[in-house]
Coordinates of all heavy atoms in Angstrom, one line a residue:
Chain H
E201 N 2.2 -15.1 -4.4 CA 2.1 -16.2 -5.3 C 1.5 -15.8 -6.6 O 1.0 -14.8 -6.7 CB 1.2 -17.3 -4.6 CG 1.8 -17.9 -3.3 CD 0.9 -18.9 -2.7 OE1 -0.2 -19.2 -3.2 OE2 1.3 -19.5 -1.7
Y202 N 1.7 -16.8 -7.6 CA 1.2 -16.5 -8.9 C -0.3 -16.0 -8.9 O -0.6 -15.0 -9.6 CB 1.3 -17.7 -9.8 CG 2.7 -18.3 -10.1 CD1 2.8 -19.5 -10.6 CD2 3.8 -17.5 -9.8 CE1 4.1 -20.1 -10.8 CE2 5.1 -18.0 -10.1 CZ 5.2 -19.3 -10.5 OH 6.5 -19.8 -10.8
K203 N -1.1 -16.7 -8.2 CA -2.5 -16.4 -8.2 C -2.8 -15.0 -7.6 O -3.7 -14.3 -8.0 CB -3.4 -17.5 -7.6 CG -3.1 -17.8 -6.2 CD -4.0 -18.9 -5.6 CE -3.6 -19.2 -4.2 NZ -4.2 -20.4 -3.7
E204 N -2.0 -14.7 -6.6 CA -2.2 -13.4 -5.9 C -1.8 -12.3 -6.9 O -2.5 -11.2 -6.9 CB -1.4 -13.3 -4.6 CG -1.8 -14.2 -3.5 CD -0.9 -14.3 -2.4 OE1 0.3 -14.4 -2.6 OE2 -1.4 -14.2 -1.2
I205 N -0.7 -12.5 -7.6 CA -0.3 -11.5 -8.6 C -1.3 -11.3 -9.7 O -1.7 -10.2 -10.1 CB 1.1 -11.9 -9.2 CG1 2.2 -12.0 -8.1 CG2 1.5 -10.9 -10.3 CD1 3.5 -12.6 -8.6
A206 N -1.8 -12.5 -10.1 CA -2.8 -12.5 -11.2 C -4.0 -11.6 -10.8 O -4.5 -10.8 -11.6 CB -3.3 -13.9 -11.5
K207 N -4.5 -11.8 -9.6 CA -5.6 -11.1 -9.0 C -5.3 -9.6 -8.9 O -6.1 -8.7 -9.3 CB -6.0 -11.6 -7.7 CG -7.4 -11.2 -7.2 CD -7.7 -11.9 -5.9 CE -8.9 -11.3 -5.3 NZ -9.2 -11.8 -3.9
K208 N -4.1 -9.3 -8.4 CA -3.8 -7.9 -8.2 C -3.6 -7.1 -9.5 O -4.0 -5.9 -9.5 CB -2.4 -7.8 -7.4 CG -2.5 -7.0 -6.1 CD -1.2 -7.1 -5.4 CE -1.2 -6.7 -4.0 NZ -2.3 -6.0 -3.4
V209 N -3.0 -7.7 -10.4 CA -2.7 -7.0 -11.7 C -3.8 -7.2 -12.7 O -3.9 -6.4 -13.6 CB -1.3 -7.6 -12.3 CG1 -1.0 -6.8 -13.6 CG2 -0.2 -7.4 -11.3
G210 N -4.7 -8.2 -12.5 CA -5.8 -8.4 -13.4 C -5.4 -9.1 -14.7 O -5.8 -8.8 -15.8
I211 N -4.5 -10.1 -14.5 CA -4.1 -10.9 -15.7 C -4.2 -12.4 -15.3 O -4.5 -12.7 -14.1 CB -2.6 -10.6 -16.1 CG1 -1.7 -10.8 -14.9 CG2 -2.5 -9.3 -16.8 CD1 -0.2 -10.5 -15.3
S212 N -4.1 -13.3 -16.3 CA -4.2 -14.7 -16.0 C -2.9 -15.3 -15.3 O -1.9 -14.6 -15.4 CB -4.5 -15.5 -17.3 OG -3.3 -15.5 -18.0
I213 N -3.1 -16.4 -14.7 CA -1.9 -17.0 -14.0 C -0.8 -17.4 -15.1 O 0.4 -17.2 -14.8 CB -2.3 -18.3 -13.2 CG1 -3.1 -17.8 -12.0 CG2 -1.1 -19.0 -12.7 CD1 -3.7 -18.9 -11.1
G214 N -1.3 -17.8 -16.2 CA -0.4 -18.2 -17.3 C 0.4 -17.0 -17.7 O 1.7 -17.1 -18.0

Side-chain angles (χ1 to χ4, degrees):
Chain H
E201 292 183 0
Y202 297 163
K203 61 181 177 189
E204 292 172 313
I205 299 169
K207 196 176 169 191
K208 236 179 197 345
V209 181
I211 53 177
S212 70
I213 291 177

